[in-house]
Structure formats: C-alpha cells, structure tokens
Amino acid sequence: MPRLPSSLRRAVRHWWLPALAALLVAGLCAAGLVLYVDERGHRERGMTVGPEQARDRLDVKVHLLHSDPATQSVTAWVDIDPRGTLRQPGERDVPTKDLVIETSSGERPVLHYPAHQPIRTETLVFHLQKGSISDYPFDRYITSVAFDPTADGKDIPVVVRMIDADPFFVAHKVRPASKDLGTGLRLSFRRTLSNILLAWFMMVVMWLMALAVLVGARLASWYRHGMAWAALSWMAATLFALVALRKAAPGDPPIGSAFDYAAFFWASLIIAVSVVYVVAIGFKAEHAKILKKR
C-alpha cells in the first residue's frame, strides 16, 4: 500500500483534532435543533378530545400558560366557541341558548353564559396532584382538564383542544378524563427537556468546581509556603460563584430539593472544607517560620 507524502501526513496530524472538534460541535448543534423542533412540534400540535364530527357542539380551546409547583396549580386561558345552531348567525362567540359549563377547576367549577351575549375569555386554575417541587428537576404532576356543558338544561357535545404554552413545563396526555368530570384529558406535567438538561449541566459544573478546588487545596498544601492567599481568594470566589449558580437554576427550586442533595450541598461542603484545610496548613507553615526566626 503506497505511503502518503510526508507533507500530507503532517497536515493530517495537524488538522485532525480541529476537524474532530468541528464535527463534534456541528453534531451537538444539530442534535439540539432536532430536540427543539420536536418539542415545539409537540406544543403546536396540541391535544384534542371530543366528537369533532358533531355539527351542533361547543369548541373549548385551553391555553396552558403557567404551571406553579409552589401553589400546586396550572393557570389556563379558556376560549369557548359555539358551533352550528348554538351560534348566533354572523357572530363567532354569541350563543343562541343559555350555556352552563361544569369544569374540573377547583376555583371556577361552573361557568354561566346567557343567550345572545358575547362569551368572554376565561382564566381558570386547575390543581396539580401527585407531585412535589422538592423532587426538582425530576418533579412531575398530574391534573385533569375537563368540561361538561349544557344548553338550556340539555347536554351538548364538546370538543376540547389543549395548547401547551408554558415555557418551563410540557404537558402530555395520560388518558381521557374521568366521565364524571366530562370531556377532557388527564395530563402529566414535567419540566421541559431544556430545563432538565440545564439542571443536569449545572449539577455537573458544581461537582467539577468542587473537585477543582479540592485538587488546588491539595497542591497548595504540598508546598507548605505559608498562607496561599491567591489560592484562598480563588477558592472563596468559587464558593460564592457556586451560590450564584444555585440561584440561577431555572424554575426557582426550593432549598432542600433533589438538585441540592445531588450536587449543591456536597460541592459547597467540599469547597468550604478545602478552604479551611488550606488555612490550617498555611497557619502551621507560618508558625514554623516564626519559630525558626526566633
């Protein structure tokens, strides 16, 4: 097999590492775009339940705006649109009959809309269940979003379409809501992939910072030149940087969450112990120097 010219071999040895790094960066960027497009597509498709073939029906569009684990609630805008004979001709949101809609919202269980009067957009709050914010960033929640409408006292079909617009949580369909609640979906809420990846990245960074300080403390202790002020300044700055990084965690997790027990508490402890260790070794070395001078 013929050998490559020496100049070409040198060029290959010189450029293979930058080329590999460029391919790695391009691959990561492409993977990130694919994940972003997939999550965005899921949000735009929405989730629909109900007899869409029915002519005389009620269309309910639910915009899931904000999930708040601290209050165990999810806030949504609700647009109601009568169809067929339930809609006044020439009007989009004016019903021809008195509408009463029972909802799965704990705060607004019943909505009333008189005939021949425009229907306004409602803000409803649904309660989150089976989840704890202390599990951050792995916390998940369950809620039911359902509607059971009547027109002049008679049951009417309803189509419920849900659009996920929460930047921190993503909703997934678990199953149809209980028939006792009406037409709707039982939803599972979990943090978005971007939030989970960022939380994991922050935990890894915390551990790397702590281990770097630990290695620095060990090296500073080997030389025993006295108080290593530069090293101590760097370690103290790292400790404060760790606290600032903790505050920047998306979703404002409470102190004592899984995030803290997985990284923050231990990283802070390692850095604090390293600072004390370097001070103790430095004090011992300085004390020895003073004794020699005497």
Side-chain angles (χ1 to χ4, degrees):
M1 183 176 179
R3 292 174 57 85
L4 294 175
S6 59
S7 59
L8 184 57
R9 290 199 303 272
R10 286 195 299 270
V12 170
R13 285 196 299 268
H14 182 71
W15 289 106
W16 77 268
L17 189 58
L20 182 61
L23 288 175
L24 180 61
V25 170
L28 291 174
C29 290
L33 288 174
V34 169
L35 293 173
Y36 164 74
V37 170
D38 179 70
E39 187 168 289
R40 181 179 178 182
H42 167 76
R43 292 180 182 273
E44 291 180 345
R45 286 193 300 271
M47 297 164 282
T48 303
V49 62
E52 296 182 78
Q53 71 280 2
R55 180 176 178 274
D56 300 330
R57 69 177 192 269
L58 210 61
D59 281 358
V60 178
K61 184 179 288 187
V62 182
H63 300 262
L64 303 169
L65 299 178
H66 176 64
S67 302
D68 187 357
T71 60
Q72 293 284 291
S73 64
V74 54
T75 303
W77 283 347
V78 178
D79 292 323
I80 298 169
D81 183 18
R83 294 298 185 95
T85 59
L86 297 175
R87 175 194 290 185
Q88 188 167 305
E91 300 288 346
R92 178 184 177 275
D93 56 357
V94 178
T96 58
K97 300 179 181 180
D98 291 335
L99 299 179
V100 177
I101 306 175
E102 296 182 2
T103 77
S104 58
S105 169
E107 296 185 3
R108 299 283 303 279
V110 181
L111 305 176
H112 298 271
Y113 302 104
H116 312 297
Q117 293 187 20
I119 298 175
R120 64 185 181 276
T121 298
E122 301 284 357
T123 300
L124 299 184
V125 177
F126 301 91
H127 294 306
L128 296 174
Q129 307 164 1
K130 295 184 178 180
S132 173
I133 192 174
S134 62
D135 294 335
Y136 177 94
F138 315 109
D139 48 335
R140 296 192 178 192
Y141 307 91
I142 294 289
T143 193
S144 293
V145 178
F147 301 86
D148 187 12
T150 59
D152 288 343
K154 297 181 179 180
D155 292 337
I156 56 174
V158 58
V159 174
V160 181
R161 175 174 171 78
M162 300 182 195
I163 305 227
D164 189 3
D166 190 335
F168 296 105
F169 283 85
V170 60
H172 293 276
K173 173 183 175 182
V174 177
R175 61 177 182 272
S178 171
K179 293 182 179 179
D180 296 338
L181 298 176
T183 301
L185 292 173
R186 190 162 176 82
L187 301 175
S188 169
F189 289 84
R190 64 169 177 81
R191 299 197 181 262
T192 60
L193 181 61
S194 56
N195 277 260
I196 294 175
L197 290 177
L198 181 56
W200 271 107
F201 172 76
M202 294 173 73
M203 287 189 286
V204 170
V205 168
M206 287 178 180
W207 274 108
L208 292 178
M209 292 170 65
L211 294 177
V213 169
L214 184 62
V215 172
R218 188 70 185 103
L219 291 175
S221 67
W222 276 348
Y223 295 103
R224 299 180 181 273
H225 291 321
M227 297 297 290
W229 298 111
L232 287 172
S233 299
W234 164 60
M235 292 177 185
T238 303
L239 183 59
F240 286 108
L242 199 68
V243 175
L245 183 64
R246 168 63 177 77
K247 291 182 178 179
D252 194 22
I255 294 295
S257 62
F259 178 86
D260 296 317
Y261 283 103
F264 177 68
F265 286 161
W266 310 118
S268 300
L269 178 63
I270 290 172
I271 294 175
V273 170
S274 297
V275 171
V276 174
Y277 175 72
V278 171
V279 170
I281 295 298
F283 175 80
K284 186 176 180 180
E286 295 287 352
H287 184 66
K289 290 180 181 178
I290 294 174
L291 292 179
K292 284 184 179 180
K293 289 180 181 179
R294 289 180 179 177

